[in-house]
């Protein structure tokens, strides 16, 4: 009996040690591989013409740290806005070609950016690097005599964090966020509840820390059925916005399927309204939830 007890205690110690070592190994592996998970390697470079977007020309953006980015550019007509678009982590420039063609059909301009390390662009992706990519896009607009009051930033998923950073740093006309998060750290913590991701994550994209600095009107789209970034993240971010704002909810919408024809109409209506900043949060909302999508 005593021998069995000794064996049980010894086995428990070894099992505990093995569990701890396995947990540490998982943490180390996640830390080492995290950027390949957050920024997956995607398809090869495709030009705008090859993607069926003849209205756009491919241009090169040059970042302050020496990277060369591929971007698709459609110059806006003099009385129209320029949309600077930041895509999600698993997207490519040609993923939204049909919507992009509808966007520019009324004379609006578009500058869609392929981040560093993504198709056709040099470098390796990171949060700090993507901030420099966003700054390069804004500088391109300035070089083409596009005034800040004609610039609309549009981010989807991961790109919402890039767009929020730029909106907090530069003057713009409006900010459009499609399926946004409070931070990538919050989303990672939801997906890996047993891992200390807030300590391990290099690129945290804290939109919740930056959104209060945004003074331009903010329009948020989010789907109730989004299981990649649940709508609760978008709602929490919305609650932190101090500037004029509107939240458009899609009851059946998922993460990447909100292009049902209503988004562009909603955005055009939103950016053409006369907004005034209010100290009262109830008046700062600017619209009823979902009213722009009806």
């Amino acid at each position: 009996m005593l021998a069995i007890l000794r064996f049980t205690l010894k086995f428990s110690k070894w099992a505990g040690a093995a569990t701890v070592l396995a947990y540490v190994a998982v943490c180390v592996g996640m830390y080492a591989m995290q950027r390949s998970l957050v920024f997956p390697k995607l398809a090869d470079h495709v030009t705008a013409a090859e993607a069926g977007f003849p209205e756009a020309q491919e241009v090169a953006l040059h970042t302050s740290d020496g990277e060369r980015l591929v971007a698709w550019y459609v110059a806006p007509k003099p009385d129209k806005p320029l949309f600077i678009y930041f895509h999600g982590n698993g997207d490519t420039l040609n993923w939204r070609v049909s919507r992009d063609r509808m966007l520019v059909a009324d004379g609006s301009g578009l500058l869609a950016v392929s981040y560093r390390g993504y198709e056709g662009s040099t470098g390796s992706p990171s949060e700090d690097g993507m901030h420099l990519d966003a700054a390069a896009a804004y500088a391109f607009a300035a070089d083409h005599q596009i005034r800040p009051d004609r610039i609309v930033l549009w981010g989807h998923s991961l790109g919402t964090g890039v767009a929020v950073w730029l909106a907090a740093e530069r003057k713009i006309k409006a900010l459009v966020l499609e399926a946004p998060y409070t931070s990538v750290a919050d989303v990672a913590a939801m997906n890996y509840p047993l891992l200390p991701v807030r300590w391990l994550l290099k690129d945290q994209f804290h939109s919740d820390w930056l959104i209060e600095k945004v003074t331009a009107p903010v329009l948020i789209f989010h789907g109730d059925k989004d299981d990649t970034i649940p709508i609760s993240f978008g709602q929490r971010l919305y609650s932190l916005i101090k500037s004029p704002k509107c939240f458009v909810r899609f009851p059946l919408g998922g993460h990447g399927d909100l292009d049902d024809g209503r988004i562009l109409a909603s955005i055009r209506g939103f950016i053409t309204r006369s907004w005034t900043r209010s100290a009262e949060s109830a008046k700062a909302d600017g619209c009823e939830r979902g009213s722009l999508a009806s």
Side-chain angles (χ1 to χ4, degrees):
M1 188 66 158
L2 188 58
I4 295 175
L5 181 59
R6 288 198 190 102
F7 174 79
T8 301
L9 290 173
K10 188 174 183 179
F11 178 80
S12 298
K13 289 179 181 179
W14 279 106
T19 300
V20 170
L21 288 174
Y23 181 79
V24 171
V26 170
C27 290
V28 170
M30 289 291 289
Y31 183 80
M33 298 173 56
Q34 61 179 279
R35 282 191 168 143
S36 65
L37 297 173
V38 177
F39 312 113
K41 182 174 175 57
L42 300 170
D44 293 333
H45 178 209
V46 176
T47 66
E50 292 169 337
F53 192 12
E55 300 89 337
Q57 65 176 123
E58 186 166 293
V59 297
L61 308 182
H62 298 279
T63 68
S64 61
D65 63 339
E67 301 299 348
R68 182 185 183 278
L69 311 178
V70 166
W72 290 356
Y73 179 59
V74 178
K77 291 183 178 179
D79 60 338
K80 293 294 184 177
L82 172 69
F83 289 86
I84 301 180
Y85 182 71
F86 301 106
H87 62 69
N89 72 322
D91 301 344
T92 62
L93 291 183
N94 63 354
W95 190 49
R96 299 285 183 95
V97 166
S98 60
R99 188 193 65 189
D100 291 343
R101 297 194 70 185
M102 289 190 290
L103 176 67
V104 303
D106 72 340
S108 295
L110 172 67
L111 181 63
V113 183
S114 182
Y115 309 118
R116 61 184 60 210
Y118 278 70
E119 54 172 332
S121 299
T122 64
S124 299
S126 68
E127 180 179 6
D128 290 341
M130 287 180 173
H131 292 168
L132 298 181
D133 298 347
Y138 190 91
F140 178 92
D143 289 343
H144 286 73
Q145 288 74 54
I146 310 296
R147 300 188 312 271
D149 63 0
R150 294 176 60 200
I151 295 175
V152 178
L153 305 183
W154 184 346
H156 172 245
S157 191
L158 179 73
T160 62
V162 181
V164 168
W165 177 86
L166 187 58
E169 295 290 324
R170 303 288 194 275
K171 292 182 179 180
I172 59 169
K173 180 179 181 64
L175 173 63
V176 178
L177 303 176
E178 184 181 352
Y181 46 77
T182 47
S183 71
V184 168
D186 288 342
V187 178
M190 174 195 71
N191 289 320
Y192 303 99
L194 299 181
L195 297 178
V197 292
R198 297 186 193 280
W199 293 93
L200 298 174
L201 196 61
K202 299 175 182 177
D203 307 294
Q204 302 210 0
F205 289 94
H206 270 285
S207 293
D208 51 350
W209 295 354
L210 297 171
I211 197 67
E212 292 185 1
K213 294 176 60 180
V214 176
T215 58
V218 182
L219 174 60
I220 290 182
F221 295 101
H222 220 128
D224 271 338
K225 305 299 183 182
D226 191 332
D227 55 7
T228 301
I229 302 176
I231 194 171
S232 59
F233 288 98
Q235 291 168 328
R236 283 163 53 195
L237 186 68
Y238 181 77
S239 70
L240 300 173
I241 298 170
K242 302 301 183 184
S243 59
K245 58 185 179 178
C246 183
F247 193 107
V248 180
R249 184 175 195 155
F250 288 77
L252 301 178
H255 188 64
D257 60 353
L258 302 185
D259 292 329
D260 64 352
R262 295 186 297 170
I263 276 189
L264 293 184
S266 297
I267 293 173
R268 297 193 204 283
F270 184 79
I271 66 176
T272 56
R273 293 177 64 172
S274 297
W275 297 100
T276 56
R277 190 176 174 89
S278 171
E280 300 178 42
S281 59
K283 292 182 179 179
D285 284 4
C287 68
E288 298 291 333
R289 283 192 179 183
S291 64
L292 289 179
S294 59

